[in-house]
């Protein structure tokens, strides 16, 4: 891709592209848990970018997370990049978390079946003058300070990019801080210097180069392409959800499977799966 301007990893389109690669997000999340002192080692995960989080009704707002990681114990992690983090973005992140938590449950499930959900938001600025540390913890269940983090089922973390840039570099700093320095890099040369000798970070830098190499286009072209692709994906998923909702209503009205197949285009297997949910 032809561009005279270096694009930082804080650009959400580039951020989504780089951290949609499993090995990069795997390393980032393990470094995060290590930094906050939680004895949690991720062994495996699935990673999705532009993850669509639907509600239960057709009129519900659809949320599109930058990156969603599903851990091996089926816990969800929403990973977002914000160059600005006001109350609007805070409420947006809280909405993502709430729906991710609720969407785990099917009809008849016990509420205790729901797994923990996390949001890790990389931000610039000091939201409400409260997040003064590099990593700030906003719990939704625990009301008083306690070392028992098992009480938390919905947790939002805000990681301040601007705080790290003011810290003098030292060789013994944590891996998470090194990742944040990489995100904050102002040039490709600075990225290479930070990632030198580190296999995963060098691979992340290679993904940055790969994203920007496409000939005959500009970075703005790439942004518009990724945006259009994301919207098209959301519309297709929405149409599929419409069909399923229609099929569900027809089943409740006693319409035959054969007729539902005719009017919705769904397969018999699709309809029988919907019947299990009714």
């Amino acid at each position: 891709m032809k561009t005279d301007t270096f694009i930082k990893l804080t650009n959400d389109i580039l951020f989504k592209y780089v951290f949609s690669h499993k090995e990069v997000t795997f390393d980032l999340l393990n470094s995060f848990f290590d930094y906050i002192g939680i004895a949690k080692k991720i062994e495996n995960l699935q990673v999705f970018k532009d993850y669509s989080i639907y509600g239960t009704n057709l009129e519900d707002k659809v949320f599109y997370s930058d990156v969603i990681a599903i851990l091996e114990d089926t816990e969800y992690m929403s990973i977002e990049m914000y160059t600005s983090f006001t109350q609007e973005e805070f409420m947006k992140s809280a909405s993502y978390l709430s729906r991710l938590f609720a969407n785990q449950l099917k009809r008849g499930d016990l509420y205790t079946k729901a797994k923990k959900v996390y949001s890790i938001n990389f931000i610039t600025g000091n939201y409400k003058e409260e997040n003064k540390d590099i990593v700030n913890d906003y719990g939704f269940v625990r009301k008083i300070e306690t070392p028992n983090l098992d009480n938390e089922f919905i947790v939002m973390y805000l990681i301040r990019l601007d705080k790290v840039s003011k810290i003098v570099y030292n060789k013994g700093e944590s891996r998470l801080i090194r990742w944040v320095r990489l995100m904050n890099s102002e040039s490709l040369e600075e990225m290479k210097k930070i990632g030198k000798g580190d296999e995963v970070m060098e691979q992340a830098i290679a993904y940055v180069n790969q994203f920007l190499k496409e000939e005959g286009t500009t970075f703005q072209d790439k942004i518009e392409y990724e945006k259009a692709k994301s919207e098209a994906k959301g519309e297709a998923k929405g149409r599929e959800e419409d069909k399923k909702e229609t099929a569900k209503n027809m089943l409740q009205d006693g319409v035959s499977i054969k007729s539902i197949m005719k009017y919705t285009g769904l397969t018999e297997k699709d309809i029988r799966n919907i019947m299990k949910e009714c």
Side-chain angles (χ1 to χ4, degrees), residues 174-212:
S174 79
R175 189 163 184 80
L176 178 67
I177 298 302
R178 193 174 175 191
W179 271 115
V180 175
R181 289 192 190 280
L182 195 76
M183 294 177 194
N184 271 336
S185 296
E186 298 288 346
S187 67
L188 190 58
E189 289 70 27
E190 185 181 348
M191 290 188 81
K192 289 179 178 179
K193 183 178 179 181
I194 293 169
K196 186 176 180 180
D198 187 289
E199 184 179 352
V200 179
M201 290 188 180
E202 287 184 340
Q203 183 60 62
I205 296 167
Y207 288 135
V208 171
N209 275 325
Q210 182 178 316
F211 185 84
L212 300 174

Side-chain angles (χ1 to χ4, degrees), residues 45-222:
L45 79 164
Q46 301 175 65
V47 180
F48 306 91
K49 70 171 182 173
D50 293 323
Y51 188 89
S52 306
I53 312 171
Y54 287 87
T56 55
N57 297 311
L58 296 179
E59 296 80 12
D60 287 346
K61 188 177 181 68
V62 180
F63 303 138
Y64 298 98
S65 178
D66 282 354
V67 176
I68 287 285
I70 306 176
L71 311 189
E72 67 269 14
D73 53 8
T74 67
E75 291 181 343
Y76 283 77
M77 302 196 74
S78 172
I79 308 168
E80 303 284 325
M81 174 62 73
Y82 294 101
T83 52
S84 172
F85 199 82
T86 65
Q87 184 176 9
E88 174 72 13
E89 286 75 31
F90 183 87
M91 297 302 288
K92 175 182 175 183
S93 185
S95 298
Y96 284 13
L97 275 169
S98 300
R99 188 169 290 176
L100 275 174
F101 186 78
N103 279 6
Q104 297 178 71
L105 299 173
K106 303 298 182 185
R107 184 176 298 180
D109 284 347
L110 295 174
Y111 289 101
T112 51
K113 184 179 178 181
K115 299 285 188 174
K116 191 170 186 174
V117 293
Y118 306 79
S119 178
I120 300 177
N121 300 315
F122 292 93
I123 71 171
T124 298
N126 192 355
Y127 173 68
K128 292 180 69 174
E129 299 299 319
E130 292 178 2
N131 52 306
K132 300 180 185 298
D133 299 321
I134 292 174
V135 176
N136 302 272
D137 171 8
Y138 288 77
F140 285 72
V141 177
R142 178 165 45 87
K143 299 299 182 185
I144 58 175
E145 199 61 36
T146 170
N148 184 9
L149 294 179
D150 289 338
N151 289 339
E152 296 283 14
F153 291 98
I154 302 177
V155 185
M156 181 191 301
Y157 292 98
L158 307 182
I159 302 179
R160 286 189 56 186
L161 299 173
D162 54 323
K163 271 278 187 178
V164 174
S165 63
K166 297 172 184 176
I167 298 175
V168 177
Y169 167 76
N170 70 82
K171 289 186 177 180
E173 68 185 12
S174 79
R175 189 163 184 80
L176 178 67
I177 298 302
R178 193 174 175 191
W179 271 115
V180 175
R181 289 192 190 280
L182 195 76
M183 294 177 194
N184 271 336
S185 296
E186 298 288 346
S187 67
L188 190 58
E189 289 70 27
E190 185 181 348
M191 290 188 81
K192 289 179 178 179
K193 183 178 179 181
I194 293 169
K196 186 176 180 180
D198 187 289
E199 184 179 352
V200 179
M201 290 188 180
E202 287 184 340
Q203 183 60 62
I205 296 167
Y207 288 135
V208 171
N209 275 325
Q210 182 178 316
F211 185 84
L212 300 174
K213 262 184 181 176
E214 187 179 337
E215 293 295 332
T217 60
T218 65
F219 185 69
Q220 188 60 38
D221 291 335
K222 186 69 174 178

